[in-house]
Amino acid sequence: EAQVTQNPRYLITVTGKKLTVTCSQNMNHEYMSWYRQDPGLGLRQIYYSMNVEVTDKGDVPEGYKVSRKEKRNFPLILESPSPNQTSLYFCASSLHSAGTEAFFGQGTRLTVV
Amino acid sequence: GNSVTQMEGPVTLSEEAFLTINCTYTATGYPSLFWYVQYPGEGLQLLLKATKADDKGSNKGFEATYRKETTSFHLEKGSVQVSDSAVYFCAHLTNAGNMLTFGGGTRLMVKP
């Protein structure tokens, strides 16, 4: 089954404790991206990757890192999480670019206390 | 700058009512436009898209027409069902097509 898999689905952590949210897709898509969803703000793009070893900042990259060592994986890293990073996070992948249909994971709800 | 503005929800309708969710955008040029839908507890799914002016995207009874004169891409459906209850997001391509910019989302609630 074609899908985008995020882990974990839920996470509660403390300020400053490094964490990684994993994202994997099995569709051989070139383009992958991370969003955060906050009430009233819709989805805002954090980082995106056009292909392996190519990553770029989105609209809200501060406090986040990503890597794209393999085509299928695109982990999101919070080196020192803060409470303002409490949010619902979505990973998505598309065949070639942001203009082709995006397939989203089920989301990761992160709470930083 | 680039932005997408949607009508605030929630929009509450009875089954078989007519639906309109307004969406306007500001952008350089004429970017591709999209509607995505998010059902409870799930990620977003592409509902429909239009890639140039006057194009009409359609899917599952939903339609939206790319109007460059009014920079709008309003979503319509002639007869909604309870199963259409979801959050709907309007979006357009930005950054030379490398990113999607989303609106704030509009929650639709359809009552039997």
Side-chain angles (χ1 to χ4, degrees):
Chain A
E1 180 189 354
Q3 59 186 3
V4 177
T5 304
Q6 294 178 227
N7 279 297
R9 292 289 310 280
Y10 302 92
L11 180 59
I12 301 174
T13 190
V14 296
T15 299
K17 184 177 181 182
K18 181 180 178 180
L19 66 91
T20 299
V21 184
T22 64
C23 173
S24 181
Q25 50 95 2
N26 62 0
M27 296 169 279
N28 202 35
H29 285 173
E30 293 180 352
Y31 184 96
M32 297 186 74
S33 57
W34 275 102
Y35 298 87
R36 59 177 291 173
Q37 182 178 14
D38 302 289
L41 296 177
L43 276 79
R44 293 177 293 169
Q45 197 156 15
I46 303 170
Y47 269 94
Y48 64 95
S49 170
M50 301 289 285
N51 214 323
V52 176
E53 301 292 2
V54 181
T55 62
D56 274 297
K57 296 178 180 179
D59 289 326
V60 289
E62 295 77 19
Y64 304 95
K65 286 174 56 177
V66 293
S67 68
R68 188 88 183 275
K69 294 186 172 63
E70 312 163 274
K71 201 170 190 178
R72 64 184 293 125
N73 296 323
F74 191 46
L76 179 69
I77 303 155
L78 285 71
E79 294 270 5
S80 183
S82 62
N84 65 10
Q85 292 179 296
T86 293
S87 186
L88 179 59
Y89 291 86
F90 286 100
C91 179
S93 72
S94 308
L95 184 57
H96 293 304
S97 70
T100 50
E101 180 178 359
F103 293 81
F104 282 77
Q106 290 194 291
T108 296
R109 187 166 292 282
L110 172 66
T111 302
V112 184
V113 298
Chain B
N2 298 307
S3 67
V4 178
T5 303
Q6 295 180 230
M7 59 191 293
E8 286 195 27
V11 174
T12 303
L13 296 173
S14 297
E15 209 165 21
E16 299 184 3
F18 184 86
L19 168 71
T20 300
I21 299 178
N22 291 336
C23 170
T24 57
Y25 66 91
T26 58
T28 303
Y30 303 106
S32 294
L33 301 172
F34 307 82
W35 277 101
Y36 277 82
V37 58
Q38 184 180 30
Y39 298 104
E42 298 184 9
L44 281 69
Q45 304 172 25
L46 179 65
L47 181 59
L48 53 85
K49 66 186 270 189
T51 57
K52 60 183 189 295
D54 299 324
D55 264 3
K56 177 185 285 188
S58 61
N59 186 24
K60 300 181 181 179
F62 290 89
E63 292 183 339
T65 301
Y66 192 136
R67 304 277 188 207
K68 68 176 182 180
E69 313 82 23
T70 53
T71 60
S72 65
F73 193 53
H74 304 322
L75 183 68
E76 297 181 335
K77 186 175 186 182
S79 176
V80 294
Q81 306 300 313
V82 173
S83 58
D84 293 326
S85 298
V87 182
Y88 292 82
F89 291 92
C90 186
H92 72 75
L93 281 180
T94 53
N95 192 18
N98 291 325
M99 288 176 49
L100 278 174
T101 295
F102 285 88
T106 303
R107 182 177 297 278
L108 170 65
M109 298 171 62
V110 181
K111 297 185 175 180

